[in-house]
Amino acid sequence: MGGHGRRRGSRKGGELRVASVVPDLPTFAVDEGFRYAATEQVAIGMVVRVPLGRRTVRGWVVAVEDDDITGLKPVGAVSSPTPIFDRHLLQTLRWAASYYVAPLAAVLPRAGPPNLPPSASSPPPATNAAARARAVYSIVGREAPQEVADAVSPVLEAGNSVMVILPTASEVAVQADLLRGIHGVRVLEVPPQAPQREVTAVWSEMTARPGRVVVGTHRIAFWPVAGLHLAVLVEEGRRAMKDRQTPTVHAREVIRRRAGVERFSVLYVGSVPSTSVLALGIELRRRSTRAWPPVEVIDRRADPGGFLADRTRAAIRGVLAKDGRVFVFTHRHGYAPAYRCVACKTLRRCPSCGSRPEPGETCTRCGADLGPCTSCGGRRFEALGAGVGRITEVLRQTFGEKAGPAGGDTPIWVGTERDIPRLERISLGVVVDADGLILGSAYNAGEESLRVFARLANAIPFGHGRHLMLQTSMPDHPVVSALKSGDPVPYLEEELESRRDLGLPPAGEVIVLEVSGGSKDPRAVLQQSIGDSATMFGPAERGGKLRWLIQGRDLSRTRQLMRGAVGRLREGGATVRVDVDPLDL
Ligand SMILES: [Zn+2]
Ligand SMILES: [Zn+2]
């Protein structure tokens, strides 16, 4: 302490530089990094090799300072002189490690390319701050790719760079094609399945020269980009924007943090903003009166039964007569249908929490006894939806061989959420059982279902009576009303209000912790370390794993405590999965 004068005064030709290096070991124990003697050449963000015990390991330089090198081993070799992060980006990387309860070594490589970065002829230019960094959400439907293109052009023309993040590979391809038509070689696409060599080449191009637009999935969220002035996030609320594996990083959260530190603007584009965006108070901008094409609501309480209402069958027949194509949307694997009382047609809902019950006699969300029909006491229930196979069978009873899987050559396609990206030339969309999705047992089922149905409606081009038919027994449900109106915001605001009351995300925080194997008793370890810093539910046992749900208004202290607990459990050989802000509860 207090040695600054001495260090500066005695420094000669770089002999007294100390580099802190985080070795590439997936453990919290090396988060602080180790100190090595370094030459002038070593800089923050470089990939180096360092001696550690009796081995030599790869590591990342997280700090360089003038200090006493007595007793320090030298950095072994510089693996690549091109830094993968600077101190601003490191700030966001550190935030992510802490927020997602991950070792720093698990987060740092995300800033770099899959292979070692090739040597740059010149160091990457420093990011010059945008004149006015701001964040806006533009609510658009099918015109999203054009909206993105309109935002990209002025930034490129000024010689600065843009990063565009989309949920899936097919959306990346569509957006990149549109941009290439306007900006040619200044568009750099990162197909998620591209060979590592190719991705590494794009990374170098992006970090070396400003005036480019990089288009990719959430994997590029940590990339250092020369002259970055704008990040565009398309449909930030979609599940694909978040990593499934630990650390469960969400692209929106990374970009939001980076924008604050690096001072660039963020444009969100999509038809259904997340409640997280609303909670942040981000300015909403509407491009048209409707965020998706018209939605017709078919009230299932009025028809005799079966999977398709008479009105729906008639509409399908009408489209087939005009050689049009129909997409029938139904349940994907893992989604349970809604049931109704055979006698009085009342939808079966948990009498305690209102969610749609899974098969069985108790509610999977709240554990309440489901009992008979709340309206007439009836005990027989019929499913309102089914999987693709069963719905195809039912359609074939009426329409013969005209029904088949999505993407095939039949005029009626049957499919699930997974098929939405491949929908082409659809005249009519049919949702067999909207209630099964709307009333799902997850706390955010309503918001998620609105997003799925809006996407589906947007896959059908406007005009000529094309529309989406939604079969439901709840025509007055807020999600259904939102779909009819074409405006998601009033529903989402109401939803955010109720999450605030319940302390659920985005108004509160939730972390799911799953532990399997290991020599230590996770119950004891967690109790000791996390203790009463948060509300813990569990453990529930599922497939040999113990699962806890940790909830609180603010879990920042719990996160710190969890690092110790998770570290100890992993040292004992346990497999630990930490899911921060889980999408399914
Ligand atoms: Zn319930
Ligand atoms: Zn009944």
Side-chain angles (χ1 to χ4, degrees), residues 449-467:
S449 68
L450 177 59
R451 192 163 288 120
V452 171
F453 295 141
R455 262 183 88 201
L456 185 54
N458 270 320
I460 305 164
F462 269 108
H464 303 294
R466 298 187 187 106
H467 69 293

mmCIF file with all atom_site columns, all heavy atoms in Angstrom, residues 449-467:
data_model
loop_
_atom_site.group_PDB
_atom_site.id
_atom_site.type_symbol
_atom_site.label_atom_id
_atom_site.label_alt_id
_atom_site.label_comp_id
_atom_site.label_asym_id
_atom_site.label_entity_id
_atom_site.label_seq_id
_atom_site.pdbx_PDB_ins_code
_atom_site.Cartn_x
_atom_site.Cartn_y
_atom_site.Cartn_z
_atom_site.occupancy
_atom_site.B_iso_or_equiv
_atom_site.pdbx_formal_charge
_atom_site.auth_seq_id
_atom_site.auth_comp_id
_atom_site.auth_asym_id
_atom_site.auth_atom_id
_atom_site.pdbx_PDB_model_num
ATOM 1   N N   . SER A 1 449 ? -47.821 -17.518 -24.264 1.00 0.00 ? 449 SER A N   1
ATOM 2   C CA  . SER A 1 449 ? -48.807 -17.930 -25.265 1.00 0.00 ? 449 SER A CA  1
ATOM 3   C C   . SER A 1 449 ? -49.120 -16.763 -26.197 1.00 0.00 ? 449 SER A C   1
ATOM 4   O O   . SER A 1 449 ? -49.256 -16.944 -27.404 1.00 0.00 ? 449 SER A O   1
ATOM 5   C CB  . SER A 1 449 ? -50.075 -18.464 -24.594 1.00 0.00 ? 449 SER A CB  1
ATOM 6   O OG  . SER A 1 449 ? -50.758 -17.425 -23.929 1.00 0.00 ? 449 SER A OG  1
ATOM 7   N N   . LEU A 1 450 ? -49.196 -15.561 -25.649 1.00 0.00 ? 450 LEU A N   1
ATOM 8   C CA  . LEU A 1 450 ? -49.450 -14.385 -26.490 1.00 0.00 ? 450 LEU A CA  1
ATOM 9   C C   . LEU A 1 450 ? -48.341 -14.244 -27.537 1.00 0.00 ? 450 LEU A C   1
ATOM 10  O O   . LEU A 1 450 ? -48.588 -13.959 -28.708 1.00 0.00 ? 450 LEU A O   1
ATOM 11  C CB  . LEU A 1 450 ? -49.531 -13.129 -25.620 1.00 0.00 ? 450 LEU A CB  1
ATOM 12  C CG  . LEU A 1 450 ? -49.734 -11.797 -26.360 1.00 0.00 ? 450 LEU A CG  1
ATOM 13  C CD1 . LEU A 1 450 ? -51.014 -11.810 -27.176 1.00 0.00 ? 450 LEU A CD1 1
ATOM 14  C CD2 . LEU A 1 450 ? -49.771 -10.620 -25.373 1.00 0.00 ? 450 LEU A CD2 1
ATOM 15  N N   . ARG A 1 451 ? -47.105 -14.486 -27.103 1.00 0.00 ? 451 ARG A N   1
ATOM 16  C CA  . ARG A 1 451 ? -45.962 -14.350 -28.002 1.00 0.00 ? 451 ARG A CA  1
ATOM 17  C C   . ARG A 1 451 ? -46.028 -15.396 -29.124 1.00 0.00 ? 451 ARG A C   1
ATOM 18  O O   . ARG A 1 451 ? -45.789 -15.098 -30.291 1.00 0.00 ? 451 ARG A O   1
ATOM 19  C CB  . ARG A 1 451 ? -44.669 -14.500 -27.184 1.00 0.00 ? 451 ARG A CB  1
ATOM 20  C CG  . ARG A 1 451 ? -43.422 -14.101 -27.903 1.00 0.00 ? 451 ARG A CG  1
ATOM 21  C CD  . ARG A 1 451 ? -42.268 -13.878 -26.949 1.00 0.00 ? 451 ARG A CD  1
ATOM 22  N NE  . ARG A 1 451 ? -42.438 -12.677 -26.178 1.00 0.00 ? 451 ARG A NE  1
ATOM 23  C CZ  . ARG A 1 451 ? -42.505 -12.614 -24.853 1.00 0.00 ? 451 ARG A CZ  1
ATOM 24  N NH1 . ARG A 1 451 ? -42.385 -13.713 -24.127 1.00 0.00 ? 451 ARG A NH1 1
ATOM 25  N NH2 . ARG A 1 451 ? -42.685 -11.474 -24.242 1.00 0.00 ? 451 ARG A NH2 1
ATOM 26  N N   . VAL A 1 452 ? -46.376 -16.633 -28.754 1.00 0.00 ? 452 VAL A N   1
ATOM 27  C CA  . VAL A 1 452 ? -46.467 -17.711 -29.753 1.00 0.00 ? 452 VAL A CA  1
ATOM 28  C C   . VAL A 1 452 ? -47.587 -17.426 -30.751 1.00 0.00 ? 452 VAL A C   1
ATOM 29  O O   . VAL A 1 452 ? -47.397 -17.530 -31.969 1.00 0.00 ? 452 VAL A O   1
ATOM 30  C CB  . VAL A 1 452 ? -46.703 -19.076 -29.063 1.00 0.00 ? 452 VAL A CB  1
ATOM 31  C CG1 . VAL A 1 452 ? -47.016 -20.156 -30.095 1.00 0.00 ? 452 VAL A CG1 1
ATOM 32  C CG2 . VAL A 1 452 ? -45.486 -19.470 -28.238 1.00 0.00 ? 452 VAL A CG2 1
ATOM 33  N N   . PHE A 1 453 ? -48.773 -17.011 -30.258 1.00 0.00 ? 453 PHE A N   1
ATOM 34  C CA  . PHE A 1 453 ? -49.894 -16.769 -31.164 1.00 0.00 ? 453 PHE A CA  1
ATOM 35  C C   . PHE A 1 453 ? -49.638 -15.552 -32.061 1.00 0.00 ? 453 PHE A C   1
ATOM 36  O O   . PHE A 1 453 ? -50.035 -15.536 -33.221 1.00 0.00 ? 453 PHE A O   1
ATOM 37  C CB  . PHE A 1 453 ? -51.198 -16.593 -30.376 1.00 0.00 ? 453 PHE A CB  1
ATOM 38  C CG  . PHE A 1 453 ? -51.617 -17.838 -29.636 1.00 0.00 ? 453 PHE A CG  1
ATOM 39  C CD1 . PHE A 1 453 ? -52.163 -17.768 -28.363 1.00 0.00 ? 453 PHE A CD1 1
ATOM 40  C CD2 . PHE A 1 453 ? -51.454 -19.086 -30.215 1.00 0.00 ? 453 PHE A CD2 1
ATOM 41  C CE1 . PHE A 1 453 ? -52.534 -18.927 -27.684 1.00 0.00 ? 453 PHE A CE1 1
ATOM 42  C CE2 . PHE A 1 453 ? -51.820 -20.253 -29.543 1.00 0.00 ? 453 PHE A CE2 1
ATOM 43  C CZ  . PHE A 1 453 ? -52.364 -20.165 -28.271 1.00 0.00 ? 453 PHE A CZ  1
ATOM 44  N N   . ALA A 1 454 ? -48.965 -14.540 -31.529 1.00 0.00 ? 454 ALA A N   1
ATOM 45  C CA  . ALA A 1 454 ? -48.646 -13.368 -32.345 1.00 0.00 ? 454 ALA A CA  1
ATOM 46  C C   . ALA A 1 454 ? -47.670 -13.752 -33.462 1.00 0.00 ? 454 ALA A C   1
ATOM 47  O O   . ALA A 1 454 ? -47.804 -13.320 -34.601 1.00 0.00 ? 454 ALA A O   1
ATOM 48  C CB  . ALA A 1 454 ? -48.047 -12.265 -31.473 1.00 0.00 ? 454 ALA A CB  1
ATOM 49  N N   . ARG A 1 455 ? -46.706 -14.603 -33.134 1.00 0.00 ? 455 ARG A N   1
ATOM 50  C CA  . ARG A 1 455 ? -45.759 -15.089 -34.151 1.00 0.00 ? 455 ARG A CA  1
ATOM 51  C C   . ARG A 1 455 ? -46.490 -15.851 -35.232 1.00 0.00 ? 455 ARG A C   1
ATOM 52  O O   . ARG A 1 455 ? -46.218 -15.725 -36.420 1.00 0.00 ? 455 ARG A O   1
ATOM 53  C CB  . ARG A 1 455 ? -44.765 -16.059 -33.509 1.00 0.00 ? 455 ARG A CB  1
ATOM 54  C CG  . ARG A 1 455 ? -43.459 -15.472 -33.130 1.00 0.00 ? 455 ARG A CG  1
ATOM 55  C CD  . ARG A 1 455 ? -42.578 -16.573 -32.596 1.00 0.00 ? 455 ARG A CD  1
ATOM 56  N NE  . ARG A 1 455 ? -41.828 -17.226 -33.644 1.00 0.00 ? 455 ARG A NE  1
ATOM 57  C CZ  . ARG A 1 455 ? -41.311 -18.445 -33.542 1.00 0.00 ? 455 ARG A CZ  1
ATOM 58  N NH1 . ARG A 1 455 ? -41.488 -19.155 -32.452 1.00 0.00 ? 455 ARG A NH1 1
ATOM 59  N NH2 . ARG A 1 455 ? -40.629 -18.964 -34.533 1.00 0.00 ? 455 ARG A NH2 1
ATOM 60  N N   . LEU A 1 456 ? -47.424 -16.680 -34.773 1.00 0.00 ? 456 LEU A N   1
ATOM 61  C CA  . LEU A 1 456 ? -48.199 -17.491 -35.699 1.00 0.00 ? 456 LEU A CA  1
ATOM 62  C C   . LEU A 1 456 ? -49.021 -16.587 -36.614 1.00 0.00 ? 456 LEU A C   1
ATOM 63  O O   . LEU A 1 456 ? -49.049 -16.772 -37.836 1.00 0.00 ? 456 LEU A O   1
ATOM 64  C CB  . LEU A 1 456 ? -49.095 -18.423 -34.879 1.00 0.00 ? 456 LEU A CB  1
ATOM 65  C CG  . LEU A 1 456 ? -49.923 -19.459 -35.614 1.00 0.00 ? 456 LEU A CG  1
ATOM 66  C CD1 . LEU A 1 456 ? -49.050 -20.307 -36.525 1.00 0.00 ? 456 LEU A CD1 1
ATOM 67  C CD2 . LEU A 1 456 ? -50.637 -20.352 -34.590 1.00 0.00 ? 456 LEU A CD2 1
ATOM 68  N N   . ALA A 1 457 ? -49.696 -15.599 -36.034 1.00 0.00 ? 457 ALA A N   1
ATOM 69  C CA  . ALA A 1 457 ? -50.499 -14.677 -36.845 1.00 0.00 ? 457 ALA A CA  1
ATOM 70  C C   . ALA A 1 457 ? -49.599 -13.939 -37.839 1.00 0.00 ? 457 ALA A C   1
ATOM 71  O O   . ALA A 1 457 ? -49.974 -13.721 -38.985 1.00 0.00 ? 457 ALA A O   1
ATOM 72  C CB  . ALA A 1 457 ? -51.228 -13.688 -35.937 1.00 0.00 ? 457 ALA A CB  1
ATOM 73  N N   . ASN A 1 458 ? -48.385 -13.598 -37.410 1.00 0.00 ? 458 ASN A N   1
ATOM 74  C CA  . ASN A 1 458 ? -47.469 -12.871 -38.290 1.00 0.00 ? 458 ASN A CA  1
ATOM 75  C C   . ASN A 1 458 ? -46.900 -13.734 -39.408 1.00 0.00 ? 458 ASN A C   1
ATOM 76  O O   . ASN A 1 458 ? -46.288 -13.225 -40.345 1.00 0.00 ? 458 ASN A O   1
ATOM 77  C CB  . ASN A 1 458 ? -46.339 -12.241 -37.478 1.00 0.00 ? 458 ASN A CB  1
ATOM 78  C CG  . ASN A 1 458 ? -46.717 -10.840 -37.016 1.00 0.00 ? 458 ASN A CG  1
ATOM 79  O OD1 . ASN A 1 458 ? -47.330 -10.087 -37.766 1.00 0.00 ? 458 ASN A OD1 1
ATOM 80  N ND2 . ASN A 1 458 ? -46.381 -10.506 -35.783 1.00 0.00 ? 458 ASN A ND2 1
ATOM 81  N N   . ALA A 1 459 ? -47.077 -15.052 -39.305 1.00 0.00 ? 459 ALA A N   1
ATOM 82  C CA  . ALA A 1 459 ? -46.617 -15.932 -40.374 1.00 0.00 ? 459 ALA A CA  1
ATOM 83  C C   . ALA A 1 459 ? -47.632 -15.976 -41.511 1.00 0.00 ? 459 ALA A C   1
ATOM 84  O O   . ALA A 1 459 ? -47.406 -16.602 -42.539 1.00 0.00 ? 459 ALA A O   1
ATOM 85  C CB  . ALA A 1 459 ? -46.371 -17.337 -39.827 1.00 0.00 ? 459 ALA A CB  1
ATOM 86  N N   . ILE A 1 460 ? -48.783 -15.324 -41.306 1.00 0.00 ? 460 ILE A N   1
ATOM 87  C CA  . ILE A 1 460 ? -49.829 -15.298 -42.332 1.00 0.00 ? 460 ILE A CA  1
ATOM 88  C C   . ILE A 1 460 ? -49.862 -13.896 -42.940 1.00 0.00 ? 460 ILE A C   1
ATOM 89  O O   . ILE A 1 460 ? -50.078 -12.927 -42.226 1.00 0.00 ? 460 ILE A O   1
ATOM 90  C CB  . ILE A 1 460 ? -51.207 -15.616 -41.700 1.00 0.00 ? 460 ILE A CB  1
ATOM 91  C CG1 . ILE A 1 460 ? -51.137 -16.941 -40.951 1.00 0.00 ? 460 ILE A CG1 1
ATOM 92  C CG2 . ILE A 1 460 ? -52.299 -15.632 -42.763 1.00 0.00 ? 460 ILE A CG2 1
ATOM 93  C CD1 . ILE A 1 460 ? -52.278 -17.156 -39.990 1.00 0.00 ? 460 ILE A CD1 1
ATOM 94  N N   . PRO A 1 461 ? -49.626 -13.784 -44.240 1.00 0.00 ? 461 PRO A N   1
ATOM 95  C CA  . PRO A 1 461 ? -49.605 -12.438 -44.827 1.00 0.00 ? 461 PRO A CA  1
ATOM 96  C C   . PRO A 1 461 ? -50.967 -11.744 -44.756 1.00 0.00 ? 461 PRO A C   1
ATOM 97  O O   . PRO A 1 461 ? -52.006 -12.403 -44.824 1.00 0.00 ? 461 PRO A O   1
ATOM 98  C CB  . PRO A 1 461 ? -49.190 -12.683 -46.280 1.00 0.00 ? 461 PRO A CB  1
ATOM 99  C CG  . PRO A 1 461 ? -49.126 -14.143 -46.479 1.00 0.00 ? 461 PRO A CG  1
ATOM 100 C CD  . PRO A 1 461 ? -49.393 -14.844 -45.201 1.00 0.00 ? 461 PRO A CD  1
ATOM 101 N N   . PHE A 1 462 ? -50.930 -10.431 -44.595 1.00 0.00 ? 462 PHE A N   1
ATOM 102 C CA  . PHE A 1 462 ? -52.153 -9.622  -44.554 1.00 0.00 ? 462 PHE A CA  1
ATOM 103 C C   . PHE A 1 462 ? -52.933 -9.743  -45.862 1.00 0.00 ? 462 PHE A C   1
ATOM 104 O O   . PHE A 1 462 ? -52.365 -9.980  -46.921 1.00 0.00 ? 462 PHE A O   1
ATOM 105 C CB  . PHE A 1 462 ? -51.787 -8.128  -44.412 1.00 0.00 ? 462 PHE A CB  1
ATOM 106 C CG  . PHE A 1 462 ? -51.704 -7.665  -42.988 1.00 0.00 ? 462 PHE A CG  1
ATOM 107 C CD1 . PHE A 1 462 ? -50.472 -7.387  -42.414 1.00 0.00 ? 462 PHE A CD1 1
ATOM 108 C CD2 . PHE A 1 462 ? -52.860 -7.481  -42.242 1.00 0.00 ? 462 PHE A CD2 1
ATOM 109 C CE1 . PHE A 1 462 ? -50.387 -6.946  -41.100 1.00 0.00 ? 462 PHE A CE1 1
ATOM 110 C CE2 . PHE A 1 462 ? -52.778 -7.026  -40.939 1.00 0.00 ? 462 PHE A CE2 1
ATOM 111 C CZ  . PHE A 1 462 ? -51.533 -6.765  -40.364 1.00 0.00 ? 462 PHE A CZ  1
ATOM 112 N N   . GLY A 1 463 ? -54.228 -9.534  -45.799 1.00 0.00 ? 463 GLY A N   1
ATOM 113 C CA  . GLY A 1 463 ? -55.014 -9.312  -47.012 1.00 0.00 ? 463 GLY A CA  1
ATOM 114 C C   . GLY A 1 463 ? -55.804 -10.509 -47.484 1.00 0.00 ? 463 GLY A C   1
ATOM 115 O O   . GLY A 1 463 ? -55.578 -11.643 -47.051 1.00 0.00 ? 463 GLY A O   1
ATOM 116 N N   . HIS A 1 464 ? -56.753 -10.270 -48.360 1.00 0.00 ? 464 HIS A N   1
ATOM 117 C CA  . HIS A 1 464 ? -57.588 -11.296 -48.970 1.00 0.00 ? 464 HIS A CA  1
ATOM 118 C C   . HIS A 1 464 ? -58.225 -12.226 -47.942 1.00 0.00 ? 464 HIS A C   1
ATOM 119 O O   . HIS A 1 464 ? -58.331 -13.427 -48.149 1.00 0.00 ? 464 HIS A O   1
ATOM 120 C CB  . HIS A 1 464 ? -56.790 -12.117 -49.985 1.00 0.00 ? 464 HIS A CB  1
ATOM 121 C CG  . HIS A 1 464 ? -56.184 -11.279 -51.060 1.00 0.00 ? 464 HIS A CG  1
ATOM 122 N ND1 . HIS A 1 464 ? -56.938 -10.601 -51.993 1.00 0.00 ? 464 HIS A ND1 1
ATOM 123 C CD2 . HIS A 1 464 ? -54.890 -10.945 -51.310 1.00 0.00 ? 464 HIS A CD2 1
ATOM 124 C CE1 . HIS A 1 464 ? -56.137 -9.924  -52.785 1.00 0.00 ? 464 HIS A CE1 1
ATOM 125 N NE2 . HIS A 1 464 ? -54.894 -10.092 -52.386 1.00 0.00 ? 464 HIS A NE2 1
ATOM 126 N N   . GLY A 1 465 ? -58.638 -11.659 -46.832 1.00 0.00 ? 465 GLY A N   1
ATOM 127 C CA  . GLY A 1 465 ? -59.360 -12.444 -45.831 1.00 0.00 ? 465 GLY A CA  1
ATOM 128 C C   . GLY A 1 465 ? -58.485 -13.440 -45.097 1.00 0.00 ? 465 GLY A C   1
ATOM 129 O O   . GLY A 1 465 ? -58.959 -14.278 -44.358 1.00 0.00 ? 465 GLY A O   1
ATOM 130 N N   . ARG A 1 466 ? -57.148 -13.356 -45.296 1.00 0.00 ? 466 ARG A N   1
ATOM 131 C CA  . ARG A 1 466 ? -56.268 -14.285 -44.583 1.00 0.00 ? 466 ARG A CA  1
ATOM 132 C C   . ARG A 1 466 ? -56.291 -13.932 -43.105 1.00 0.00 ? 466 ARG A C   1
ATOM 133 O O   . ARG A 1 466 ? -56.238 -12.764 -42.739 1.00 0.00 ? 466 ARG A O   1
ATOM 134 C CB  . ARG A 1 466 ? -54.843 -14.151 -45.106 1.00 0.00 ? 466 ARG A CB  1
ATOM 135 C CG  . ARG A 1 466 ? -54.700 -14.495 -46.562 1.00 0.00 ? 466 ARG A CG  1
ATOM 136 C CD  . ARG A 1 466 ? -53.233 -14.480 -46.892 1.00 0.00 ? 466 ARG A CD  1
ATOM 137 N NE  . ARG A 1 466 ? -53.021 -14.645 -48.309 1.00 0.00 ? 466 ARG A NE  1
ATOM 138 C CZ  . ARG A 1 466 ? -52.657 -13.651 -49.115 1.00 0.00 ? 466 ARG A CZ  1
ATOM 139 N NH1 . ARG A 1 466 ? -52.475 -12.445 -48.624 1.00 0.00 ? 466 ARG A NH1 1
ATOM 140 N NH2 . ARG A 1 466 ? -52.472 -13.876 -50.382 1.00 0.00 ? 466 ARG A NH2 1
ATOM 141 N N   . HIS A 1 467 ? -56.351 -14.923 -42.268 1.00 0.00 ? 467 HIS A N   1
ATOM 142 C CA  . HIS A 1 467 ? -56.349 -14.639 -40.835 1.00 0.00 ? 467 HIS A CA  1
ATOM 143 C C   . HIS A 1 467 ? -56.063 -15.883 -40.000 1.00 0.00 ? 467 HIS A C   1
ATOM 144 O O   . HIS A 1 467 ? -55.876 -16.969 -40.534 1.00 0.00 ? 467 HIS A O   1
ATOM 145 C CB  . HIS A 1 467 ? -57.659 -13.991 -40.419 1.00 0.00 ? 467 HIS A CB  1
ATOM 146 C CG  . HIS A 1 467 ? -58.844 -14.917 -40.491 1.00 0.00 ? 467 HIS A CG  1
ATOM 147 N ND1 . HIS A 1 467 ? -59.335 -15.414 -41.665 1.00 0.00 ? 467 HIS A ND1 1
ATOM 148 C CD2 . HIS A 1 467 ? -59.626 -15.416 -39.504 1.00 0.00 ? 467 HIS A CD2 1
ATOM 149 C CE1 . HIS A 1 467 ? -60.381 -16.190 -41.419 1.00 0.00 ? 467 HIS A CE1 1
ATOM 150 N NE2 . HIS A 1 467 ? -60.569 -16.214 -40.109 1.00 0.00 ? 467 HIS A NE2 1
#
